[in-house]
Amino acid sequence: MNAAAAPAPPDTDATRPVRLGLRENALQFTLLIVMNVAVGGLVGLERTTVPLIGSETFGLTSDMAVFSFIVAFGLTKAFTNLAAGALTARFRRKQLLVAGWLIGVPVPFALAYAPSWGWIVAANVLLGLNQGLTWSMTVNMKIDLVGPARRGLATGLNEAAGYTAVGATALFTGYLATGYGLRPVPELIGAVFVIAGLALTLVVRDTAAHASLELAQHAVPLPTGENTGLKATFTRTSWRDRSLRGASQAGLVNNLNDGLTWGVFPLLFTDHGLGLAAVGLVKGIYPILWGLGQIPAGHLADRVGRKPLVVTGMLVQSGGLVLALALLDRPLLAGILSAVALGLGTAMVYPALIASVSDHAHPAWRANALGTYRFWRDIGYAAGALLAGALADRVGLDATVVAAAVLTAASGLLAARWITEHRPGAR
């Protein structure tokens, strides 16, 4: 049996009162929002150009080889997410933010000047570590600040900032690639994101004291003897708890179709005549809508519940994948409509799933529960890339998109069966 891990010592000023709430912590919340713009921008560097760098610059002929960078990113980010929850018991959230940004420093330069494809894959290992630490900490810190009543809105704002930046960067790199080539100019804008992220870590304050305050005020005390360790929480979140299981599988499949389209869509639409700018538009619309849509979706999740948004969002994503193929004789229209549906569907799902996991997890083991959920969610990137590579090499890109549509719809139905509403403060 593991006792509840004590939060790491806060770095807040002892004279500054600790209060929960969005308005009460507006400045720190805003700084974390801006930081997550930099977090999302760094990964957005890869959305348009890197699959094409593999096929056109390095001459890779196997789709599995091209998608290997997504596998490296997804696996590394997933395991870092899992470790991040446990690390918060030993280190301040701010310390983990700094570590994540330092790890990310070489990424834009490796993408810009890599002499071989292996360097690109190695850069994605570093990117996965960076994203796992920085994105995990911004999520946890915002949830710490606002308390239980506004989790949906807090996570919606956090993910909106990150994924809007992903989309805007994907769009911008597509236009830069049109004028300057696939490398190095589009990738070097990542240096701006790294510098901004490191600078913001100097002014943002740690939130361990806020997490401790919520734990002290929690309506239901931790049951005597409940194991809060990583192993027990991993089992509880992955399988034993029905709702947490439903959220974990939905997160995995959501990112599976994202990882699949990340690799497949640039190749699919260039094969049907789209140029780099048009592909950048398609790849930009999806995460921009995914990002901006999470603000109303997060607020709605606080009002109508998590489950309706999760189920509807998964089905809308499935429809978006179908649209990509149904209208492929007009590839720009197909790409735009598919991106709109995928973006809106994912916007519904993302904040609702994080809020649902937070609802069902006691504050004493919530960081580990979120880490476990984010582990399964981001394993989806690797699973999507592996599925895409295996199917595309054997049955073609079209059939690969069909498979993703079927899996996404099935996941939505499983979420409808497994997830139950659990209002904040009830646990």
Side-chain angles (χ1 to χ4, degrees), residues 131-419:
Q131 295 287 300
L133 289 173
T134 56
W135 209 311
S136 291
M137 289 307 104
T138 60
V139 169
N140 277 290
M141 291 170 83
K142 287 186 183 71
I143 290 174
D144 291 343
L145 290 172
V146 302
R150 306 300 294 277
R151 283 180 190 142
L153 179 59
T155 55
L157 289 168
N158 184 76
E159 303 301 284
Y163 284 100
T164 301
V166 171
T169 307
L171 182 60
F172 189 43
T173 55
Y175 281 104
L176 287 176
T178 300
Y180 299 97
L182 290 171
R183 298 196 302 170
V185 174
E187 292 75 25
L188 288 178
I189 63 172
V192 176
F193 299 127
V194 172
I195 292 169
L198 282 170
L200 284 166
T201 60
L202 299 177
V203 293
V204 73
R205 297 201 308 270
D206 194 73
T207 60
H210 295 79
S212 297
L213 178 60
E214 184 188 345
L215 180 59
Q217 295 178 345
H218 198 60
V220 179
L222 184 70
T224 302
E226 182 162 288
N227 193 328
T228 63
L230 178 58
K231 182 177 179 180
T233 303
F234 183 88
T235 303
R236 185 185 295 124
T237 307
S238 303
W239 184 254
R240 282 176 47 206
D241 186 290
R242 184 183 178 95
S243 289
L244 292 175
R245 178 174 76 226
S248 295
Q249 67 81 27
L252 187 153
V253 175
N254 180 90
N255 277 20
L256 180 148
N257 68 50
D258 183 36
L260 183 144
T261 58
W262 184 351
V264 166
F265 273 19
L267 302 180
L268 177 69
F269 291 120
T270 53
D271 283 351
H272 284 78
L274 292 190
L276 282 171
V279 171
L281 177 63
V282 171
K283 293 301 295 177
I285 288 173
Y286 170 20
I288 286 173
L289 289 177
W290 173 353
L292 292 176
Q294 289 185 79
I295 299 174
H299 179 66
L300 194 60
D302 287 333
R303 295 180 66 86
V304 304
R306 323 311 191 186
K307 182 174 177 175
L309 289 171
V310 172
V311 176
T312 303
M314 296 301 286
L315 296 178
V316 169
Q317 289 177 58
S318 179
L321 292 164
V322 172
L323 281 174
L325 298 180
L327 302 172
L328 204 50
D329 57 337
R330 302 172 66 185
L332 182 57
L333 179 63
I336 290 174
L337 291 180
S338 176
V340 168
L342 285 167
L344 293 177
T346 309
M348 295 181 211
V349 167
Y350 243 61
L353 284 174
I354 295 176
S356 180
V357 172
S358 298
D359 292 346
H360 285 82
H362 192 280
W365 49 271
R366 186 177 63 211
N368 280 335
L370 285 169
T372 300
Y373 160 72
R374 288 166 59 81
F375 166 82
W376 287 117
R377 191 190 69 186
D378 289 338
I379 278 288
Y381 284 124
L386 289 169
L387 178 67
L391 290 179
D393 282 338
R394 288 167 174 77
V395 296
L397 296 172
D398 291 14
T400 303
V401 176
V402 171
V406 172
L407 281 172
T408 305
S411 176
L413 297 177
L414 277 178
R417 180 175 177 83
W418 286 345
I419 295 177

Side-chain angles (χ1 to χ4, degrees), residues 58 109-117 119-120 183:
F58 293 111
F109 304 100
L111 296 176
Y113 298 113
S116 68
W117 185 247
W119 283 70
I120 299 288
R183 298 196 302 170

